[in-house]
Amino acid sequence: MIDARARVLADLTARHQATAPAVSALEDACVARQWWAQQWPEGEVYVAGLVAQDVQDALFEQVGRWPMCLSCSEGAVHSLYIQPDLGGPDPVWVCEETGEVAAALGFLGRA
Ligand SMILES: [Zn+2]
């Protein structure tokens, strides 16, 4: 759980989105998914990706899209999304246009 929180926070920070509403959304997502993982321990591998998706959804409603794809230079601006869609195992950010991997979750700042 600490790992999930740290990885999503790292990616928020990498894109200058570690704002109060975003961190609050992250805390809420961690609490909800922690409860969920306690009911279903095998779900642990999905938690980090699911937390990232929860924060992405919350930010979309409040401030806009995160994280944006920075690798494509053509076409309209677009987002990255978590692959696998289930949240894990080994979640990565993928460009929604090309399907190419941008970075592992938690490593957007090094992409
Ligand atoms: Zn792209």
Side-chain angles (χ1 to χ4, degrees), residues 82-98:
I82 287 291
Q83 195 80 291
D85 207 33
L86 281 174
D90 303 322
V92 293
W93 289 112
V94 168
C95 167
E96 69 179 1
E97 293 289 326
T98 66

Side-chain angles (χ1 to χ4, degrees), residues 15-71:
R15 297 301 176 82
H16 310 292
Q17 286 286 350
T19 59
V23 172
S24 164
L26 173 59
E27 299 299 342
D28 290 349
C30 286
V31 169
R33 297 300 179 180
Q34 187 168 31
W35 179 87
W36 177 80
Q38 279 165 0
Q39 315 306 307
W40 186 50
E42 292 80 14
E44 190 71 44
V45 294
Y46 305 104
V47 165
L50 289 171
V51 167
Q53 290 172 334
D54 290 346
V55 172
Q56 184 170 44
D57 289 347
L59 281 183
F60 185 75
E61 287 169 14
Q62 293 175 28
V63 295
R65 286 185 281 182
W66 164 85
M68 306 305 293
C69 176
L70 301 181
S71 2

